[in-house]
Amino acid sequence: MKKSAIILAVLLCFPILLFGQEMQREYNAVPFTDVQFTDSFWAPRIMINRVVSVPHNIDWCENQTGRIDNFKIASGKMTGKFRGKFYDDSDVYKILEGFAYTLSAHPDHKLKETAARWIDHIAGAQDPDGYLMCYFKLTVPDKKWTNLGRMHELYCAGHMAEAAVAWKQATGDDRFLNVSKKQMDLICKRYGKKPGQLINVPGHEEIELALVKLYQITGDKKYLEQAKFFIDARGNAEGREKGLFGEQCQDHKPIREQTEIVGHAVRAMYLYAGATDIAGYYRDQDLMDAMKRLWNNVTRQKMYITGGIGSHAKNEGFGAPFFLPNHSAYCETCAAIGMILWAHRMNLATGQKEYSDTMNQVMYNGMLSGYGMNGDSYFYVNPLASKGKHHRKPFFNTACCPSNVLRVIASLPGYAYATTQSPERKKLGLKGDDTIVVNMFVDSTAKIKLADWTVDLVQKTNYPFDGKVHLTAIPHPNKNAAKGARFKIMVPDGRSLSSTWSDLSGNPKVQQKCELVLNDPLPVKRMIANPQVQDDYGHVAIQRGPLVYCFEQCDNEVPVDRIVLAKDPEFKVEMRANFISTDQDNAASKKSPMRTVAVITCKDVQGRTLTAVPYYAWDNRAPGKMSVWVCQAGYDPKSESDSKWTESDGRPILYKELDPKILKGNAVCAGTSKQFQASFDEDSGSSFDGSDPAVMPEGSGDKRIPRATFWDHKGTHEWFQYEFYQPAKISESTVYWFDDTGKGNCRVPQSWKIIYQEKEGSPWKEVQTKDRYSVERNKEIRVRFDPIEAIRIRLDIQLQPKYSGGILKWNLDSGVSSAK
């Protein structure tokens, strides 16, 4: 897509909103109601979402978790007590939003009846003043509005508004919208800067973008003004009801002053999506500049190659720049969905291709990996490496991800196309759009309304497995269309198709069509990460088109965490049908074309055949280890200067394609990341990465951060070790012991020492040190020793009698813990 910045630069310089004009952004999304997917990739998933995921989520809400019963009890239709988490109302609203998108594409009387029944329960639970949240109504009615930082009242109200707007768009029914408006009117009356109002913001953002949607469908200015109020009040301490909520809630400084993305990843995405909308409506250049700064920060320093965001389990969010561990990557599915929402809005606001590129990157990888191919299993978090213990589940105690996936899969047609004005039309001062923008390559049909034309657009493609795209446009002149009017189609690589239509008689028999054929061979690429990303140092990831690949143990004889690719891997693409196994399958998915997957075969450094599968498809078959990043023979990141990882404007480059010319020999870089292992490591699973320099425990009993323990082994001889691809130089070790005295049965060790192996098969030796092997609690223990070269280094531990033990951190120094 081409950037169209002239009108944006002019419009964003005005500080006030001119109501009655169109939203000031470069693109306008084509509504989901006007687009139908007909492809073999997304359409089957939308079908599985409808026939499997929808009833699955209905069952969990109605029969297994009490979510619908909470509304029934609150409305007086049944007796009982509140069940579940205080924010569970939001899941019901997200599922209802998914119902709306689903019904728009596929009318279903039974589903519509279910939705109407749920809406009845919701309406019945609402207080006369508009308040609605089951937890407070049924448990602590005197505590309403007393803890916005933690209790999600505004978050739930936002999700209700999104669902109500979608329901109105899909069905034309106003009832749910009226319930939402009544609650939002109460919120607008309560919070603001007018006399008698309170100045506060939600701890969990979401309501901001929902208020914008409510404005868009009602035209009521107060909802847009309320969204702006919440944006402006965040990070501003002046007049705040109870002070700021801090970095976790992006409430540490005003949004326009923020330069680094911090805190909870899902909250950040929802906030910045809403802020991007407000920047467009109010032509707020300072706010848009902040969005671009934060966008650059996350996409160029804090985003995984899959589009996943949030490297820390501790805060479910962001860590230090370039801290992107693979085994312990959090990458919540909801955060990926939030990234799609923000990327889409940034694309609409600016018309810049990088935003739609990221949107697609996240859709095909970071979001889709969270959705099992059978339609009724999910990932909450999406690591980029697994020891074989991370598996999909049908639901979660905090069930935001299943309901969020349900709504976003059903809504995908609304992301495919947009419209905009060509520069020529802008120069003429004409209103309305004359250009169709293709944001997704997907086999589909759409009816797209332009100023002078209604265009029937047909896209034929087998993307992402094949790069051939065929576009056909059949235009129908609108009433009062200008003579000689033109329209244009823009596609993601910048090429466009333009045609002039002279016959505007309105004769239905006069239909001219234009066609565009694209052919991208979708080569297999080896991607490398910025050397500052420690876990990926000396490694490559495989990518073809938008799809990132991974290696699963069930396909490979070579241990996937020990793979070393050949300098010339001889990549071959193979379409594999019946990918998922029958024990994880169901009747609907057995018949679905989404069972066909494009796998990639290649060679390792010893000539053995390897198989890689799309990352979205992992853990749909036999359990086992998984790795996205694998070692590359002959690749030494030190061979590239720092300037090779910086754009001309100074922005860092996070990922780029490997240039095979820099490969030298078959050696494996000594600085590649280590593999953590343990004698018994059931508790730590795939979540432990004790080498994060940004994390320091608050004490030995700190359970908020990942830990590795030997539980439930007690009084035994155990070990933790790091293993390297080739001998690494080490001269120092720091360890922080886990000890939950007073709460559990883990204690510091009785004794321990550091031992190492110089090479494969060599005897274990103890390091030579004058430091004490301390077992102190609540501090980082440092042991310095004579420099060694080791293929493995081990904490050799004797547990106390009757107690287990573990660690919170373990770092090594001298060319190991640093990427350089």
Side-chain angles (χ1 to χ4, degrees), residues 718-776:
E718 306 287 351
W719 52 263
F720 293 121
Q721 76 178 27
Y722 283 126
E723 183 173 344
F724 309 97
Y725 285 95
Q726 65 183 42
K729 294 180 180 180
I730 316 165
S731 60
E732 187 175 296
S733 171
T734 55
V735 63
Y736 205 115
W737 301 113
F738 176 64
D739 185 314
D740 58 359
T741 298
K743 296 181 180 180
N745 288 289
C746 286
R747 299 292 184 270
V748 295
Q750 177 175 294
S751 62
W752 65 289
K753 60 185 177 182
I754 299 174
I755 60 177
Y756 68 99
Q757 273 187 314
E758 291 179 319
K759 58 184 179 181
E760 197 71 48
S762 66
W764 288 92
K765 299 178 181 180
E766 185 176 352
V767 300
Q768 298 300 307
T769 179
K770 294 181 181 179
D771 290 329
R772 185 168 62 94
Y773 289 122
S774 173
V775 292
E776 293 178 79

Coordinates of all heavy atoms in Angstrom, one line a residue, residues 718-776:
E718 N 20.0 -33.8 43.8 CA 19.5 -33.3 42.6 C 20.4 -32.3 41.8 O 21.5 -32.0 42.4 CB 18.1 -32.5 42.8 CG 17.1 -33.3 43.6 CD 16.4 -34.4 42.9 OE1 16.6 -34.5 41.7 OE2 15.7 -35.2 43.5
W719 N 20.0 -31.9 40.6 CA 20.9 -30.9 39.9 C 20.1 -30.1 38.9 O 19.0 -30.5 38.4 CB 22.0 -31.6 39.2 CG 21.6 -32.8 38.3 CD1 21.6 -34.1 38.6 CD2 21.1 -32.7 36.9 NE1 21.2 -34.9 37.6 CE2 20.8 -34.0 36.5 CE3 20.8 -31.7 36.0 CZ2 20.3 -34.3 35.2 CZ3 20.3 -32.0 34.8 CH2 20.1 -33.3 34.4
F720 N 20.6 -28.9 38.7 CA 20.1 -28.0 37.6 C 21.4 -27.8 36.7 O 22.5 -27.8 37.2 CB 19.7 -26.6 38.0 CG 18.4 -26.6 38.8 CD1 18.4 -26.1 40.1 CD2 17.2 -27.1 38.3 CE1 17.2 -26.1 40.9 CE2 16.0 -27.1 39.0 CZ 16.0 -26.6 40.3
Q721 N 21.2 -27.8 35.4 CA 22.3 -27.5 34.5 C 21.9 -26.7 33.3 O 20.8 -26.7 32.9 CB 23.0 -28.8 34.1 CG 22.3 -29.6 33.0 CD 23.0 -30.9 32.6 OE1 23.8 -31.5 33.4 NE2 22.8 -31.3 31.4
Y722 N 22.9 -26.0 32.7 CA 22.8 -25.4 31.4 C 23.7 -26.2 30.5 O 24.9 -26.6 30.8 CB 23.3 -24.0 31.4 CG 22.3 -23.0 32.0 CD1 22.7 -22.1 33.1 CD2 21.0 -22.9 31.5 CE1 21.8 -21.2 33.6 CE2 20.1 -22.0 32.1 CZ 20.5 -21.2 33.1 OH 19.6 -20.3 33.6
E723 N 23.2 -26.5 29.3 CA 23.9 -27.2 28.2 C 24.1 -26.3 27.0 O 23.2 -25.6 26.6 CB 23.2 -28.5 27.9 CG 23.9 -29.4 26.9 CD 23.2 -30.7 26.7 OE1 22.3 -31.0 27.5 OE2 23.4 -31.4 25.7
F724 N 25.3 -26.4 26.4 CA 25.6 -25.5 25.3 C 25.9 -26.3 24.0 O 26.2 -27.5 24.1 CB 26.9 -24.6 25.6 CG 26.8 -24.0 27.0 CD1 27.4 -24.5 28.1 CD2 26.1 -22.8 27.1 CE1 27.3 -23.9 29.3 CE2 26.0 -22.2 28.3 CZ 26.6 -22.7 29.4
Y725 N 25.7 -25.6 22.9 CA 25.9 -26.3 21.6 C 27.4 -26.6 21.4 O 27.7 -27.6 20.7 CB 25.4 -25.4 20.5 CG 23.9 -25.4 20.4 CD1 23.1 -24.4 21.0 CD2 23.2 -26.4 19.7 CE1 21.7 -24.4 20.9 CE2 21.8 -26.4 19.6 CZ 21.1 -25.4 20.2 OH 19.7 -25.5 20.2
Q726 N 28.3 -25.8 21.9 CA 29.7 -26.1 21.9 C 30.3 -25.4 23.1 O 29.7 -24.5 23.7 CB 30.4 -25.6 20.6 CG 30.4 -24.2 20.3 CD 31.0 -23.9 19.0 OE1 30.7 -24.5 18.0 NE2 31.8 -22.8 18.9
P727 N 31.5 -25.8 23.5 CA 32.1 -25.3 24.8 C 32.0 -23.8 24.9 O 32.4 -23.0 23.9 CB 33.5 -25.8 24.7 CG 33.4 -27.1 23.9 CD 32.4 -26.8 22.9
A728 N 31.6 -23.3 26.0 CA 31.5 -21.9 26.3 C 32.4 -21.5 27.5 O 32.6 -22.3 28.4 CB 30.0 -21.5 26.6
K729 N 32.9 -20.3 27.4 CA 33.8 -19.8 28.5 C 32.9 -19.2 29.6 O 32.1 -18.3 29.4 CB 34.7 -18.8 27.9 CG 35.7 -19.3 26.9 CD 36.7 -18.3 26.4 CE 37.6 -18.9 25.4 NZ 38.6 -17.8 24.8
I730 N 33.2 -19.6 30.8 CA 32.5 -19.2 32.0 C 33.5 -18.9 33.1 O 34.4 -19.7 33.3 CB 31.4 -20.2 32.4 CG1 30.7 -20.8 31.2 CG2 30.5 -19.6 33.4 CD1 29.9 -22.0 31.6
S731 N 33.2 -17.9 33.9 CA 34.0 -17.6 35.1 C 33.3 -17.2 36.3 O 33.8 -16.9 37.3 CB 35.1 -16.6 34.8 OG 34.5 -15.3 34.4
E732 N 31.9 -17.2 36.2 CA 31.1 -16.7 37.3 C 29.7 -17.2 37.3 O 29.2 -17.4 36.2 CB 31.1 -15.1 37.3 CG 30.4 -14.5 38.5 CD 30.5 -13.0 38.4 OE1 31.7 -12.5 38.5 OE2 29.5 -12.3 38.3
S733 N 29.1 -17.5 38.4 CA 27.7 -17.9 38.5 C 27.0 -17.2 39.6 O 27.6 -17.0 40.7 CB 27.7 -19.5 38.8 OG 26.4 -19.9 39.1
T734 N 25.8 -16.8 39.4 CA 25.0 -16.2 40.5 C 23.7 -17.0 40.5 O 23.1 -17.4 39.5 CB 24.6 -14.8 40.2 OG1 24.0 -14.6 38.9 CG2 25.9 -13.9 40.3
V735 N 23.2 -17.3 41.8 CA 22.0 -18.1 42.0 C 21.2 -17.5 43.1 O 21.7 -16.9 44.0 CB 22.4 -19.6 42.3 CG1 23.2 -19.7 43.6 CG2 21.1 -20.5 42.3
Y736 N 19.9 -17.6 42.9 CA 19.0 -17.1 43.9 C 18.1 -18.3 44.3 O 17.3 -18.8 43.5 CB 18.1 -16.0 43.4 CG 17.6 -15.0 44.4 CD1 18.0 -13.7 44.4 CD2 16.6 -15.4 45.4 CE1 17.5 -12.8 45.3 CE2 16.1 -14.5 46.3 CZ 16.5 -13.2 46.3 OH 16.0 -12.3 47.2
W737 N 18.2 -18.7 45.6 CA 17.5 -19.9 46.0 C 16.0 -19.6 46.3 O 15.7 -18.6 46.8 CB 18.1 -20.5 47.3 CG 19.6 -20.9 47.2 CD1 20.6 -20.3 47.7 CD2 20.1 -21.9 46.4 NE1 21.8 -20.9 47.4 CE2 21.5 -21.9 46.5 CE3 19.5 -22.9 45.5 CZ2 22.3 -22.8 45.8 CZ3 20.3 -23.8 44.9 CH2 21.7 -23.8 45.0
F738 N 15.2 -20.6 46.0 CA 13.8 -20.5 46.3 C 13.5 -21.2 47.7 O 14.0 -22.3 47.9 CB 12.9 -21.3 45.2 CG 11.5 -21.3 45.5 CD1 10.7 -20.2 45.6 CD2 10.8 -22.5 45.7 CE1 9.4 -20.2 45.9 CE2 9.5 -22.6 46.0 CZ 8.7 -21.4 46.1
D739 N 12.8 -20.5 48.5 CA 12.6 -21.0 49.9 C 11.3 -20.5 50.4 O 11.1 -19.2 50.6 CB 13.7 -20.6 50.8 CG 13.6 -21.2 52.2 OD1 12.5 -21.2 52.8 OD2 14.6 -21.7 52.8
D740 N 10.2 -21.3 50.5 CA 8.9 -20.8 50.8 C 8.5 -21.1 52.3 O 7.4 -21.6 52.6 CB 7.8 -21.3 49.9 CG 7.8 -22.8 49.8 OD1 8.6 -23.5 50.5 OD2 6.9 -23.3 49.0
T741 N 9.5 -20.9 53.2 CA 9.3 -21.2 54.6 C 8.0 -20.5 55.1 O 7.8 -19.3 54.8 CB 10.5 -20.7 55.4 OG1 11.6 -21.4 55.0 CG2 10.2 -20.9 56.9
G742 N 7.2 -21.2 55.8 CA 5.9 -20.6 56.3 C 4.8 -20.9 55.4 O 3.6 -20.7 55.8
K743 N 5.0 -21.2 54.1 CA 4.0 -21.5 53.2 C 4.0 -22.8 52.5 O 3.0 -23.3 52.0 CB 4.0 -20.4 52.1 CG 3.7 -19.0 52.6 CD 3.7 -17.9 51.5 CE 3.4 -16.5 52.1 NZ 3.4 -15.5 51.0
G744 N 5.2 -23.4 52.4 CA 5.4 -24.6 51.7 C 6.6 -25.4 52.2 O 7.1 -25.2 53.3
N745 N 7.0 -26.4 51.5 CA 8.1 -27.3 51.9 C 9.3 -27.3 51.0 O 10.0 -28.3 50.9 CB 7.5 -28.7 52.0 CG 6.5 -28.9 53.2 OD1 7.0 -28.9 54.3 ND2 5.3 -29.0 52.8
C746 N 9.6 -26.1 50.5 CA 10.9 -25.9 49.8 C 11.8 -25.1 50.6 O 11.4 -24.1 51.2 CB 10.6 -25.2 48.4 SG 9.9 -26.3 47.2
R747 N 13.0 -25.5 50.7 CA 14.0 -24.8 51.5 C 15.3 -24.7 50.7 O 15.5 -25.3 49.7 CB 14.4 -25.6 52.8 CG 13.2 -25.8 53.7 CD 12.7 -24.5 54.3 NE 11.6 -24.7 55.3 CZ 10.4 -24.8 55.0 NH1 10.0 -24.5 53.7 NH2 9.5 -25.0 55.9
V748 N 16.2 -23.8 51.2 CA 17.5 -23.7 50.6 C 18.2 -25.0 50.7 O 17.9 -25.8 51.6 CB 18.4 -22.6 51.2 CG1 17.7 -21.2 51.0 CG2 18.5 -22.8 52.7
P749 N 19.2 -25.4 49.9 CA 19.9 -26.7 50.0 C 20.6 -26.9 51.3 O 21.0 -25.9 52.0 CB 20.8 -26.7 48.8 CG 20.4 -25.6 48.0 CD 19.8 -24.6 48.8
Q750 N 20.9 -28.1 51.6 CA 21.8 -28.5 52.7 C 23.2 -28.1 52.3 O 24.0 -27.6 53.1 CB 21.7 -30.0 53.1 CG 22.6 -30.4 54.1 CD 22.4 -31.9 54.5 OE1 21.3 -32.2 55.1 NE2 23.3 -32.7 54.3
S751 N 23.5 -28.5 51.0 CA 24.8 -28.1 50.5 C 24.8 -28.2 49.0 O 23.8 -28.7 48.4 CB 25.9 -29.1 51.0 OG 25.6 -30.5 50.5
W752 N 25.8 -27.6 48.3 CA 25.8 -27.6 46.9 C 27.2 -27.2 46.4 O 28.1 -26.8 47.1 CB 24.8 -26.6 46.3 CG 25.1 -25.2 46.6 CD1 25.0 -24.5 47.8 CD2 25.5 -24.2 45.7 NE1 25.3 -23.2 47.7 CE2 25.7 -22.9 46.4 CE3 25.8 -24.2 44.3 CZ2 26.1 -21.8 45.8 CZ3 26.3 -23.0 43.7 CH2 26.4 -21.8 44.4
K753 N 27.4 -27.5 45.1 CA 28.7 -27.1 44.4 C 28.5 -26.9 42.9 O 27.4 -27.3 42.4 CB 29.8 -28.1 44.7 CG 29.4 -29.5 44.2 CD 30.5 -30.5 44.6 CE 30.1 -31.9 44.2 NZ 31.2 -32.9 44.6
I754 N 29.4 -26.4 42.3 CA 29.3 -26.2 40.8 C 30.3 -27.1 40.1 O 31.5 -27.1 40.4 CB 29.7 -24.7 40.4 CG1 28.7 -23.8 41.1 CG2 29.6 -24.6 38.9 CD1 29.0 -22.3 40.8
I755 N 29.8 -28.0 39.2 CA 30.6 -28.9 38.5 C 30.4 -28.7 37.0 O 29.4 -28.1 36.6 CB 30.3 -30.3 38.9 CG1 28.9 -30.7 38.6 CG2 30.7 -30.6 40.3 CD1 28.6 -32.2 38.9
Y756 N 31.3 -29.2 36.2 CA 31.2 -28.9 34.7 C 31.8 -30.1 33.9 O 32.6 -30.8 34.4 CB 31.8 -27.6 34.3 CG 33.3 -27.6 34.5 CD1 34.1 -27.7 33.4 CD2 33.9 -27.4 35.7 CE1 35.5 -27.7 33.5 CE2 35.3 -27.3 35.8 CZ 36.1 -27.5 34.7 OH 37.4 -27.5 34.8
Q757 N 31.4 -30.2 32.6 CA 32.0 -31.1 31.7 C 32.6 -30.2 30.6 O 32.0 -29.3 30.0 CB 30.9 -32.0 31.0 CG 30.6 -33.3 31.8 CD 29.7 -34.2 31.0 OE1 28.7 -33.7 30.4 NE2 30.0 -35.4 30.9
E758 N 33.9 -30.5 30.3 CA 34.6 -29.8 29.2 C 34.1 -30.1 27.8 O 34.0 -29.2 27.0 CB 36.1 -30.0 29.3 CG 36.7 -29.4 30.6 CD 38.2 -29.7 30.7 OE1 38.6 -30.9 30.3 OE2 38.9 -28.8 31.1
K759 N 33.8 -31.4 27.6 CA 33.3 -31.8 26.3 C 32.5 -33.0 26.5 O 32.4 -33.6 27.6 CB 34.5 -32.0 25.3 CG 35.5 -33.1 25.8 CD 36.6 -33.2 24.8 CE 37.7 -34.2 25.3 NZ 38.8 -34.3 24.4
E760 N 31.8 -33.5 25.4 CA 30.9 -34.6 25.5 C 31.7 -35.8 25.9 O 32.8 -36.2 25.4 CB 30.3 -34.9 24.1 CG 29.1 -35.8 24.1 CD 27.9 -35.1 24.7 OE1 27.6 -34.0 24.3 OE2 27.3 -35.7 25.6
G761 N 31.2 -36.5 27.0 CA 31.9 -37.7 27.5 C 33.0 -37.5 28.5 O 33.5 -38.5 29.1
S762 N 33.4 -36.3 28.7 CA 34.5 -36.0 29.6 C 34.0 -36.1 31.1 O 32.8 -35.9 31.3 CB 35.2 -34.7 29.4 OG 34.3 -33.6 29.6
P763 N 34.9 -36.4 32.0 CA 34.4 -36.5 33.4 C 34.0 -35.1 34.0 O 34.4 -34.1 33.5 CB 35.7 -36.9 34.2 CG 36.8 -36.5 33.3 CD 36.3 -36.6 31.9
W764 N 33.1 -35.2 35.0 CA 32.6 -34.0 35.6 C 33.7 -33.5 36.6 O 34.3 -34.3 37.3 CB 31.3 -34.2 36.4 CG 30.1 -34.4 35.6 CD1 29.7 -35.6 35.1 CD2 29.3 -33.4 35.1 NE1 28.6 -35.4 34.3 CE2 28.3 -34.1 34.3 CE3 29.2 -32.0 35.2 CZ2 27.3 -33.4 33.7 CZ3 28.2 -31.3 34.6 CH2 27.3 -32.0 33.8
K765 N 33.9 -32.2 36.6 CA 34.9 -31.5 37.5 C 34.3 -30.4 38.3 O 33.3 -29.8 37.8 CB 36.1 -31.0 36.7 CG 36.9 -31.9 35.8 CD 38.0 -31.2 35.1 CE 38.7 -32.1 34.2 NZ 39.8 -31.4 33.4
E766 N 34.8 -30.2 39.5 CA 34.3 -29.0 40.3 C 35.2 -27.8 39.9 O 36.4 -27.9 39.7 CB 34.5 -29.3 41.8 CG 33.9 -28.2 42.6 CD 33.9 -28.5 44.1 OE1 34.2 -29.7 44.5 OE2 33.6 -27.6 44.9
V767 N 34.5 -26.7 39.8 CA 35.2 -25.4 39.5 C 36.2 -25.1 40.6 O 36.0 -25.5 41.8 CB 34.2 -24.3 39.2 CG1 33.3 -24.6 38.1 CG2 33.4 -23.9 40.5
Q768 N 37.2 -24.3 40.4 CA 38.1 -23.9 41.4 C 37.8 -22.5 41.8 O 37.9 -21.5 41.1 CB 39.6 -23.9 40.8 CG 40.0 -25.2 40.3 CD 40.1 -26.2 41.5 OE1 40.7 -26.0 42.5 NE2 39.4 -27.4 41.3
T769 N 37.3 -22.4 43.0 CA 36.8 -21.1 43.6 C 37.2 -20.9 45.0 O 37.4 -21.9 45.8 CB 35.3 -21.0 43.5 OG1 34.8 -19.8 44.1 CG2 34.6 -22.2 44.3
K770 N 37.4 -19.6 45.4 CA 37.6 -19.3 46.8 C 36.4 -18.8 47.5 O 36.4 -18.5 48.7 CB 38.8 -18.2 46.8 CG 40.1 -18.8 46.4 CD 41.2 -17.7 46.5 CE 42.5 -18.2 46.0 NZ 43.6 -17.1 46.1
D771 N 35.3 -18.6 46.7 CA 34.0 -18.1 47.3 C 33.3 -19.2 48.0 O 33.5 -20.4 47.7 CB 33.1 -17.5 46.2 CG 33.6 -16.2 45.6 OD1 34.3 -15.5 46.4 OD2 33.4 -15.9 44.4
R772 N 32.5 -18.9 48.9 CA 31.7 -19.9 49.7 C 30.4 -20.3 48.9 O 29.8 -19.4 48.3 CB 31.4 -19.2 51.0 CG 30.7 -20.2 52.0 CD 30.6 -19.6 53.4 NE 29.8 -18.3 53.4 CZ 28.5 -18.3 53.7 NH1 27.9 -19.4 54.0 NH2 27.9 -17.1 53.7
Y773 N 30.1 -21.6 49.0 CA 28.9 -22.0 48.4 C 27.8 -21.7 49.4 O 27.3 -22.6 50.2 CB 28.9 -23.5 48.1 CG 29.8 -23.9 47.0 CD1 30.8 -24.8 47.1 CD2 29.5 -23.5 45.7 CE1 31.6 -25.2 46.1 CE2 30.3 -23.8 44.6 CZ 31.3 -24.7 44.8 OH 32.1 -25.1 43.7
S774 N 27.3 -20.5 49.4 CA 26.3 -20.0 50.4 C 24.9 -20.6 50.2 O 24.5 -20.8 49.0 CB 26.3 -18.5 50.4 OG 25.3 -18.0 51.2
V775 N 24.2 -20.7 51.3 CA 22.8 -21.2 51.2 C 21.9 -20.1 51.9 O 20.9 -20.4 52.4 CB 22.6 -22.5 51.9 CG1 23.2 -23.6 51.1 CG2 23.1 -22.6 53.3
E776 N 22.4 -18.9 51.8 CA 21.6 -17.8 52.4 C 20.3 -17.5 51.6 O 20.2 -17.7 50.4 CB 22.4 -16.5 52.4 CG 23.6 -16.5 53.3 CD 24.4 -15.2 53.2 OE1 24.0 -14.2 53.8 OE2 25.5 -15.3 52.5

